[in-house]
Amino acid sequence: MLLRSLALIGLAAASFSVAAQTAVDAFDRGWYNRSFVGSTTGPVFHNPDNTNYFTGLDFTAQNVGAGYRSFFAFDLSSFAGQTITSATLHLFNPIGSFFQFNPAANSGPFETLQIFDVTTSAATLLAGGGGEAAFDDLGTGVSFGTVNASLADNNSFIDIVLNADGLAAVNAAAGGSILFGGRLTSIDAGAGTQRLFAFSNPDMVAMSGTQLLLTATAPIPEPETYAMLLAGLALLGFQARRRNGRAKGRAA
């Protein structure tokens, strides 16, 4: 029995999991707001205690660059040494969230959400100290993917499949953490309120409503793992020979 157990341990240690999708909840999220009064830029604001990820333009903001840009933070420490083959942002859009004040003024009955890289440090961004530079950062830079959302996406998840640049960034961050910025790039400054993810405050949308869906493959076994495999196979062979010897002894 002991030999069999040791053999099975060796075989198990040599195996590795088949690629499977894992859902990673965000550990933080939120928005940065920049307001305009006429043509004058107002202050940028972020409340670190507010995990609402409202994205878009509200009625107080009158310029294309104004309004709300969102961010999403994920811990990828458990993926150290793994190869991530696909990544999708999975974001819940609460009921009544999608809204266009004047749909006729837009290019269509939808808004385009674009996801960007974030170069602002996590410590600065999450603490609310990023200011104007952080607001700009959340809606510019390397694009990681886009999706068109409409009224039909209220009270449902919106999925953004990350492109090759996004996937490369996720793999580079494996073992650490990664930030994403979100901006509505379809905003028409003269069309009034245009938004996604309104009402996404924490009492309505838990962190499990903000996920990164990852498909990853486990690392290739280390040399010592192969040694355990060989030891397990040797033990199985030894056990088989003992059984054969005993059977011949009884038959004689």
Side-chain angles (χ1 to χ4, degrees):
M1 181 61 71
L2 176 61
L3 290 175
R4 180 181 295 276
S5 298
L6 290 173
L8 291 174
I9 290 171
L11 290 171
S15 64
F16 52 96
S17 60
V18 177
Q21 189 177 77
T22 302
V24 180
D25 294 349
F27 71 83
D28 202 352
R29 67 191 187 201
W31 50 254
Y32 271 69
N33 162 259
R34 182 174 69 187
S35 62
F36 276 80
V37 179
S39 60
T40 303
T41 303
V44 169
F45 175 75
H46 168 60
N47 177 5
D49 296 326
N50 185 359
T51 59
N52 185 304
Y53 47 100
F54 183 110
T55 309
L57 185 71
D58 73 0
F59 67 93
T60 64
Q62 301 300 315
N63 290 46
V64 172
Y68 296 79
R69 296 180 181 180
S70 49
F71 67 83
F72 310 93
F74 296 93
D75 179 4
L76 304 182
S77 58
S78 63
F79 290 87
Q82 298 190 45
T83 299
I84 298 167
T85 56
S86 70
T88 301
L89 272 174
H90 187 59
L91 309 175
F92 188 71
N93 190 49
I95 190 167
S97 177
F98 176 88
F99 180 80
Q100 292 177 316
F101 182 77
N102 183 11
N106 294 79
S107 58
F110 61 84
E111 296 292 348
T112 300
L113 172 67
Q114 190 161 6
I115 301 300
F116 293 92
D117 72 327
V118 175
T119 59
T120 305
S121 72
T124 298
L125 185 75
L126 304 186
E132 188 83 12
F135 179 87
D136 290 340
D137 188 20
L138 295 179
T140 58
V142 180
S143 173
F144 286 167
T146 62
V147 68
N148 290 332
S150 69
L151 189 63
D153 293 301
N154 278 339
N155 200 36
S156 64
F157 279 90
I158 293 175
D159 286 342
I160 307 98
V161 178
L162 300 192
N163 59 24
D165 288 328
L167 187 58
V170 169
N171 273 289
S177 62
I178 191 167
L179 300 169
F180 299 102
R183 171 190 166 203
L184 295 191
T185 55
S186 54
I187 284 177
D188 183 336
T193 296
Q194 299 143 78
R195 72 187 187 208
L196 286 175
F197 308 126
F199 318 116
S200 54
N201 39 302
D203 58 330
M204 294 185 68
V205 183
M207 283 298 181
S208 58
T210 310
Q211 297 180 326
L212 186 60
L213 307 180
L214 301 176
T215 302
T217 56
I220 297 172
E222 298 293 332
E224 56 267 25
T225 304
Y226 286 113
M228 291 186 70
L229 169 62
L230 293 174
L233 291 174
L235 285 169
L236 287 175
F238 174 74
Q239 201 169 38
R241 287 195 299 272
R242 286 185 64 187
R243 285 198 301 270
N244 290 337
R246 288 172 182 171
K248 288 178 181 179
R250 288 194 298 268

